[in-house]
Every structure is written in C-alpha cells, then in structure tokens.
C-alpha cells in the first residue's frame, strides 16, 4: 500500500466487542474497561488494519491518510 495512516478509536462509540483485536492483534488492544485503543496512532497502511475497521460492529475506528487527512475508513455516504 505504501501510505501512512492515522488510526483513531472513538471510545464513546466502542462497545468492546474485541473484533479489532481479533482481526488485527498487532494494531489494537483492549484496556481494563474493554475499550479499544490503537497500538500506534500513526502506522503504515495495512489490509489487516483496514479489515479490523471494516469489522467493527459500530464503526468506532477511523482511518485517515497522514498529511492530507483524507478519510480511508469509514467511507463517506
């Protein structure tokens, strides 16, 4: 992919399903309150991270391109 991403989790939306951790264990972790956190806010683009964002049942994960801020996920409606 070659791009660099900024990854955020909206913890006011996160329900702690753990799907992100299951799909991208190197990208996300759950805290003691079962709230998701990206392991690194800035990271190389990866299909695994995108899959985790797509698999989040409440779309709590936002991925943007570093520099431009262009939204990678969730897609604009």
């Amino acid at each position: 992919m070659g791009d660099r991403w900024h990854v955020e989790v909206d913890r006011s939306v996160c329900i702690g399903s753990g799907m992100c951790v299951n799909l991208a264990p190197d990208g996300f972790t759950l805290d003691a309150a079962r709230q998701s956190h990206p392991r690194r806010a800035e990271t190389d683009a990866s299909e695994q991270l995108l899959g985790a964002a797509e698999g989040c049942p409440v779309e709590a994960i936002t991925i943007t391109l570093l520099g431009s801020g262009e939204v990678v996920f969730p897609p604009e409606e």
Side-chain angles (χ1 to χ4, degrees):
M1 290 180 133
D3 292 325
R4 296 274 300 161
W5 287 348
H6 178 78
V7 181
E8 291 183 45
V9 176
D10 184 342
R11 286 183 283 285
S12 69
V13 175
C14 178
I15 60 170
S17 74
M19 288 297 297
C20 57
V21 175
N22 289 332
L23 293 169
D26 292 335
F28 297 92
T29 187
L30 295 180
D31 64 18
R34 292 199 50 85
Q35 293 291 291
S36 177
H37 299 267
R39 290 188 182 269
R40 290 166 299 283
E42 296 180 1
T43 187
D44 291 331
S46 84
E47 290 295 327
Q48 192 178 39
L49 286 173
L50 182 58
E54 292 171 340
C56 177
V58 293
E59 291 189 351
I61 301 168
T62 301
I63 300 172
T64 56
L65 286 175
L66 273 179
S68 72
E70 180 182 343
V71 176
V72 175
F73 189 87
E76 294 182 29
E77 295 182 31

